[in-house]
Amino acid sequence: MGKRVLVLTGGGDCPGLNAVIRGMVKRAGQLDAWELMGSVEAFHGMLREPMELVRLTRETVAGIHVRGGTILGTTNKGSPFAWPVKRPDGTWENVDISDDLIRKLQIQQIDAVVNIGGDGSQSISQRLYEKGVPIIGVPKTIDNDLSCTDFTFGFQTAVEVATDAVDKLVTTAASHSRLMILEVMGRDAGWIALSSAVAGGADVVLIPEIPFDIEKVAVKIRSRMNGRKGFAIVVVAEGARPKDGGQVSKQSGEAGYQNVRLGGVGYALQEALQAVFPELSMRVTVLGHLQRGGTPCAYDRILATQFGVKAVELIRDGRFGRMVVYRHPDIVDVPLAEAVGTYNLIQPQHYLLQTARGNDICLGD
Ligand code: F6P
């Protein structure tokens, strides 16, 4: 029997979102009379007057698996449970408009919703499911911090970008006998930093899971600089913090934006190290959104396409309130309630940490 499915991408964008959408459309096309609709900019398309919905057909998704970003647009401002509304005095308040959303889903005769997003989006999925919405979650994020899945799509592409940056910094650092600090994304998880540090052969990697001791970092750098003829590469995750200090962050002034914006630890680290090595030439590179943009690598396209196919099969089987996950070698599903709330952070016994230590990479502890 035919189904009308609403698809949306929420939160920060991520390489592979389009491959999920295309994977869904193709799989749904093999089933009888399925119709896929996309909501523009997460739930905003559904909630706006007039609504902004687009029909997703084989024609509209042709070739999009190689494209970064999302053809549907996305936003991390405004959950249906905390929708920013401007008061007459110009200030903003967050209002719960989830009942409006549910009413609109019914008017549009939506049989199922597929929410492709990170932890914040999947928390919304779970709350909507608790209110009776037949919903499926698909995990995305370059940070790889969603629990219950071995990997999220987008992560491997970010690691490729960060590793390429390490490789490039090595050549310029060696030419100038410099210390190069590379700040990468990842929020409270150090996966991008640790992976690119191992792949690129960095000297130091600082991750949120292990608060660092600047003196330990200095010892490693001294040994690498070898007087003034050496060079050193430090990869620091945006969420890393010294053992006696906090993360470097700022509040976003954007209405409805609920996250703390991390960033700047690279410069703070430079300042701290320059105090120890006043003569040493240092430069900081903040990789930023380059890690999120552009073409997904093959691995992420494959994972994303598998997630898209699985999401359609869950709907076909009437299995809602579930999140699609990768558990090597299979694509399976878990209850959304299990997947949200706890993060996939690097555990002390993880072999990648042992590998870093076994390759003389200093973790600052
Ligand atoms: O969660 C993905 C991510 O890129 C984080 O690594 C980063 O901290 C954050 O999003 C940046 O968000 P924004 O694009 O809103 O600045």
Side-chain angles (χ1 to χ4, degrees), residues 185-205:
M185 284 183 165
R187 279 207 169 275
D188 296 319
W191 293 111
I192 299 174
L194 183 60
S195 303
S196 59
V198 170
D203 303 296
V204 178
V205 60

Side-chain angles (χ1 to χ4, degrees), residues 12 76 141-143 185-187 238 257 261-262 289 292:
N76 35 26
T141 170
I142 62 164
D143 304 338
M185 284 183 165
R187 279 207 169 275
E238 62 179 0
Y257 188 95
R261 285 181 63 197
L262 294 172
H289 290 78
R292 271 200 358 216

